[in-house]
Amino acid sequence: MQAPSSRSHLELFELLMRELGEHMVKAPKPLHETSKDWSDAPSSPPVAILEPRSSEEVSQVLAFCNRLQIPLAIQGGMTGLVGGANSMPGEAVLSLAKLNRIEHIDTTAGTALIQAGVTLEQLQNAAEEHDWFFPLDLGARGSCQLGGNAATNAGGNRVIRYGMMRNAILGLEVILADGTRLERLDTVIKNNAGFDLKQLFIGSEGQLGVITQLVIQLQPRPSARCTALCALDGLTKSTQLLKLLKGVLPELSAFEVMWSDYVHESARLQGLALPFQAQYPIYVLIETLGHDLSLSVSAVENALQQALLDEVILDAVLAQSEQQAQKLWSYREGVSELLTALKPCAAFDVSVSLPKMQALVLDLQEELTNRFKEQHHLFFGHLGDGNLHLISGPYPDPEDLHALEELTYQRIAAYGGSISAEHGIGVVKREFLHHSKSKEEIDLMAQLKKLLDPKSILNPQRVIPS
Ligand code: FAD
Ligand code: ZN
């Protein structure tokens, strides 16, 4: 058999077309439309775009590509921030976009059986229509897919209450590189019959198999949402506030911290007025989800009153309507505007234990503003989970961007943190993985990859360092 690299794009396209047919194989569209996620990682025009519509068709695609050693870029909603789904030279794209059916919602058990290409927002809306709730939430909800959320073990704004994507998955169907179908669509919480294999694929960024179906655990639909924005004089106060609120607000569902530069830039780009008359170093957005609005409101009011008395916060605004709540969330949700405005930029997503967070941020702020004076360095994050985000840019010179990444990851490692709290490794962080995983762990990852994908056709040259 001919080696894959010796075939031209046209030959490969024709081979795929002959085997899989025109209902599945599409010619690549212009690059910007198809093969780039939200990172500034490189991308090449793919050989073809493969759009299967069922698990059987995904299996057929994989069996054929494995036989011919055609490498694949697996693409969900393309909202990733580490370049993992971008296509590389010689790769065909395997798109999950046409696997977009919500198969069944069990209104008694509160479970949903869905195909992997269903978007997060689609499931959120469908759950609500059935009087249930899917709590996972992030800014890219309109485009990101549940398969992508599972492949990256997405976090988002409500992890503090409901956990990450992993916590919501009861069952998974995965197609292995050779086309083998592993169907374990459990609808039960407990299943200790042998290894819990689905855990291997959650967060594996398309390295070990293609997720085609999921069973999701929904939650009771809350009917009362309270949102408030607090102003603080420093990060230390935010950890005090978190402790206070956790103690008195069991309904606490979000605790999002934003540094003042972040709020100002986000407001400026969206044309929003600043939230308070005065400016403060730190803002914390809090949300509770409950079932009795007057009880929830008075619980939040009392908690904020206490925080004011204890001088943990300096000011606060409690949304009086859903519209006001949306407005308060807008400051936090300016991520897409910021990522666009600061391109080319780095979007860091790190975690560190709360007691070390203050020192790490001060350290980074000082280093970055001294070394990269022309750039913005905007800090924010899901502080309740010890998860810090930083958008830093623009960096027209790739060498500067690389120096920034090196410096930042060294600092994170020195503080014992992780270089990825929720976005994954992809290509952007591949060479930095050693900061967060030992040689033995990376070796084991490589062995697992070799076992499940011996010809390395699934997202090659990503995640695991060569
Ligand atoms: P893609 O970007 O298409 O792919 C991501 C990775 O998963 C790639 O490696 C891809 O190959 C693989 N993959 C995709 N689908 C499958 C599949 N079916 N089977 C196997 N592998 C697959 N992330 C968070 O965790 N928390 C946040 O708060 C958050 N906020 C964001 C805000 C904005 C504005 C943006 C743009 C992104 C944000 N993200 C966040 C990152 C991103 O949205 C998530 O990582 C999301 O889970 C990716 O889903 P996707 O469908 O877009 O995947
Ligand atoms: Zn996040």
Side-chain angles (χ1 to χ4, degrees):
M1 190 176 286
Q2 223 177 339
S5 53
S6 65
R7 293 194 183 99
S8 70
H9 273 210
L10 186 62
E11 277 178 287
L12 283 169
F13 181 78
E14 283 172 356
L15 270 172
L16 288 161
M17 185 63 96
R18 213 172 307 137
E19 173 74 16
L20 302 169
E22 61 185 24
H23 74 290
M24 248 199 276
V25 184
K26 304 282 175 277
K29 295 179 218 146
L31 184 59
H32 66 278
E33 277 182 44
T34 52
S35 277
K36 245 181 135 0
D37 70 1
W38 278 70
S39 73
D40 288 312
S43 187
S44 299
V47 167
I49 297 174
L50 311 175
E51 293 184 330
R53 285 162 193 272
S54 64
S55 304
E56 293 77 10
E57 287 188 349
V58 174
S59 170
Q60 198 187 336
V61 167
L62 290 180
F64 182 68
C65 291
N66 193 50
R67 195 146 53 82
L68 268 73
Q69 287 192 49
I70 302 173
L72 295 167
I74 303 158
Q75 297 192 346
M78 298 302 281
T79 69
L81 293 166
V82 291
N86 288 3
S87 53
M88 296 197 189
E91 290 181 351
V93 158
L94 170 54
S95 163
L96 277 303
K98 296 273 156 65
L99 267 78
N100 58 359
R101 272 200 318 273
I102 296 180
E103 302 283 8
H104 178 61
I105 293 192
D106 183 328
T107 52
T108 309
T111 57
L113 171 63
I114 55 164
Q115 288 187 309
V118 169
T119 65
L120 174 56
E121 194 167 55
Q122 227 181 312
L123 180 63
Q124 287 175 334
N125 292 340
E128 206 157 313
E129 278 163 27
H130 289 82
D131 202 27
W132 283 90
F133 177 58
F134 185 51
L136 190 94
D137 194 38
L138 43 102
R141 64 183 77 75
S143 312
C144 67
Q145 301 175 0
L146 274 305
N149 296 152
T152 57
N153 187 24
N157 304 329
R158 299 202 179 106
V159 174
I160 191 173
R161 167 102 170 258
Y162 297 98
M164 301 186 74
M165 182 65 181
R166 188 185 296 282
N167 303 79
I169 298 177
L170 294 176
L172 214 58
E173 179 188 72
V174 177
I175 314 291
L176 299 183
D178 65 0
T180 304
R181 194 166 161 186
L182 291 186
E183 190 192 314
R184 174 63 33 225
L185 294 170
D186 278 340
T187 51
V188 290
I189 294 170
K190 292 183 155 182
N191 184 351
N192 280 346
F195 298 170
D196 188 0
L197 292 173
K198 68 175 181 291
Q199 304 298 352
L200 197 57
F201 299 98
I202 300 170
S204 73
E205 299 182 57
Q207 287 297 304
L208 306 178
V210 177
I211 297 166
T212 43
Q213 291 194 82
L214 305 93
V215 181
I216 301 286
Q217 175 71 68
L218 305 173
Q219 297 294 330
R221 187 159 81 93
S223 50
R225 167 162 108 142
C226 280
T227 307
L229 188 69
C230 308
L232 286 73
D233 70 3
L235 186 64
T236 322
K237 292 287 168 65
S238 71
T239 47
Q240 292 172 18
L241 180 64
L242 178 63
K243 185 166 179 239
L244 189 156
L245 297 185
K246 273 183 159 175
V248 296
L249 294 178
E251 295 178 346
L252 186 68
S253 53
F255 188 92
E256 296 292 309
V257 171
M258 298 170 278
W259 273 254
S260 101
D261 289 2
Y262 177 91
V263 171
H264 294 171
E265 272 307 295
S266 173
R268 191 180 67 77
L269 288 172
Q270 298 180 82
L272 299 171
L274 288 175
F276 298 96
Q277 296 275 321
Q279 297 187 8
Y280 298 95
I282 296 282
Y283 299 85
V284 179
L285 183 69
I286 63 165
E287 177 197 75
T288 64
L289 292 173
H291 297 280
D292 182 323
L293 190 58
S294 62
L295 279 181
S296 297
V297 168
S298 68
V300 172
E301 276 174 351
N302 289 342
L304 294 180
Q305 202 63 46
Q306 188 62 50
L308 277 167
L309 278 173
D310 295 350
E311 296 179 357
V312 174
I313 62 174
L314 299 172
D315 204 348
V317 50
L318 178 62
Q320 301 298 321
S321 65
E322 192 52 31
Q323 201 184 5
Q324 277 183 20
Q326 288 294 350
K327 190 172 166 225
L328 295 183
W329 269 102
S330 305
Y331 299 108
R332 173 63 181 83
E333 300 239 302
V335 175
S336 46
E337 284 83 358
L338 288 164
L339 286 171
T340 307
L342 298 185
K343 265 184 186 301
C345 63
F348 294 99
D349 151 50
V350 304
S351 66
V352 67
S353 68
L354 275 185
K356 292 182 182 167
M357 185 75 86
Q358 164 90 340
L360 170 69
V361 174
L362 288 176
D363 202 352
L364 279 176
Q365 277 174 331
E366 195 186 323
E367 284 252 19
L368 299 188
T369 41
N370 276 338
R371 189 134 167 221
F372 303 104
K373 293 189 171 61
E374 309 295 313
Q375 283 76 11
H376 289 277
H377 311 288
L378 307 176
F379 289 83
F380 60 109
H382 318 285
L383 203 86
D385 322 321
N387 182 177
L388 181 73
H389 289 316
L390 159 64
I391 299 178
S392 179
Y395 291 87
D397 183 347
E399 281 189 20
D400 284 342
L401 190 62
H402 193 263
L404 163 86
E405 288 174 335
E406 191 67 63
L407 185 155
T408 306
Y409 290 133
Q410 273 174 12
R411 282 288 169 283
I412 308 297
Y415 281 85
S418 166
I419 64 162
S420 174
E422 51 179 22
H423 299 159
I425 299 297
V427 285
V428 170
K429 299 183 196 167
R430 188 178 177 222
E431 68 168 289
F432 304 105
L433 185 61
H434 65 275
H435 287 302
S436 289
K437 286 264 184 287
S438 67
K439 183 184 172 305
E440 291 74 18
E441 287 172 304
I442 293 175
D443 283 350
L444 183 56
M445 285 171 66
Q447 284 172 40
L448 283 168
K449 169 80 174 162
K450 197 149 191 181
L451 178 72
L452 294 174
D453 179 17
K455 296 184 182 172
S456 197
I457 63 155
L458 303 177
N459 282 351
Q461 299 172 66
R462 293 140 170 109
V463 185
I464 305 165
S466 51

